[in-house]
Amino acid sequence: VLMRISHKVFPETPGILRYLLIVHCVVSVLSLSSLLFFADRRSDVAYKDQKPRSPIHLWLLRYFFWFVVLSAKFLIAVVLFAAVFDLILDLQLEPLGRATSQDVEIAWYSTVWSRDLLIWTWLWFSSLFIFCADTQLWFTVGCSILGVATTLVQRRCQVFHF
């Protein structure tokens, strides 16, 4: 199954490289799933004797918050990446993300190609950086709002009485 998929995804890749890419993909997926779902070493457990459980309403609120934030981020990413792609087309840059290896070999020593490569790289890098920084901003704002709400609920809105 993986070989059929790899022939479609990497049609011009030599056989040995295709096998290495498949092995890399399988090892990466297994390692990630092992770290995420099966972390059972003693050093990985923060609370060895008793795990603190949060109430179900806080658990649902937390996951609802992240669902809303990540859904908004996905919609923003679609708009942002489409705008960057349209900008690259408007600037008439070489489509480096879709250039074949033969095109890269031919244009490697061209000054126009190196200029396009630099502009293309900085446009995508800055877009990705803004996307990640925006995620950090919303994380900070969301945690602040949830922290204030939790404090108000725990103190029953008696802020000035200690």
Side-chain angles (χ1 to χ4, degrees):
V1 174
L2 288 174
M3 281 305 290
R4 268 187 267 132
I5 293 172
S6 70
H7 283 296
K8 292 178 184 174
V9 176
F10 308 110
E12 298 175 9
T13 306
I16 188 70
L17 184 58
R18 184 175 289 123
Y19 289 118
L20 289 174
L21 288 171
I22 290 172
V23 168
H24 173 72
C25 178
V26 169
V27 168
S28 297
V29 168
L30 289 176
S31 299
L32 181 65
S33 61
S34 169
L35 290 172
L36 288 177
F37 302 113
F38 305 110
D40 60 351
R41 296 183 306 241
R42 298 295 278 169
S43 62
D44 290 339
V45 180
Y47 300 97
K48 293 180 175 72
D49 299 329
Q50 187 178 14
K51 291 183 181 178
R53 298 274 181 199
S54 59
I56 191 72
H57 67 280
L58 289 178
W59 183 82
L60 289 173
L61 180 65
R62 193 176 312 135
Y63 279 96
F64 177 73
F65 168 75
W66 281 113
F67 176 76
V68 169
V69 167
L70 294 176
S71 298
K73 292 296 294 176
F74 176 76
L75 293 176
I76 291 170
V78 169
V79 172
L80 177 72
F81 294 149
V84 170
F85 187 75
D86 290 341
L87 177 65
I88 288 173
L89 291 179
D90 288 345
L91 291 174
Q92 297 177 351
L93 298 176
E94 186 70 30
L96 301 173
R98 295 190 285 164
T100 63
S101 60
Q102 289 84 14
D103 292 339
V104 173
E105 287 177 12
I106 292 170
W108 182 256
Y109 296 105
S110 169
T111 57
V112 173
W113 188 81
S114 61
R115 179 205 61 183
D116 288 353
L117 173 68
L118 184 63
I119 295 171
W120 184 88
T121 303
W122 278 110
L123 282 173
W124 282 110
F125 175 75
S126 61
S127 300
L128 182 65
F129 178 77
I130 290 170
F131 181 76
C132 294
D134 185 54
T135 304
Q136 173 62 30
L137 171 77
W138 284 111
F139 172 77
T140 305
V141 169
C143 286
S144 299
I145 291 171
L146 289 177
V148 168
T150 302
T151 303
L152 290 175
V153 168
Q154 286 176 350
R155 293 181 173 264
R156 295 187 177 110
C157 294
Q158 297 177 359
V159 179
F160 298 110
H161 297 128
F162 294 101

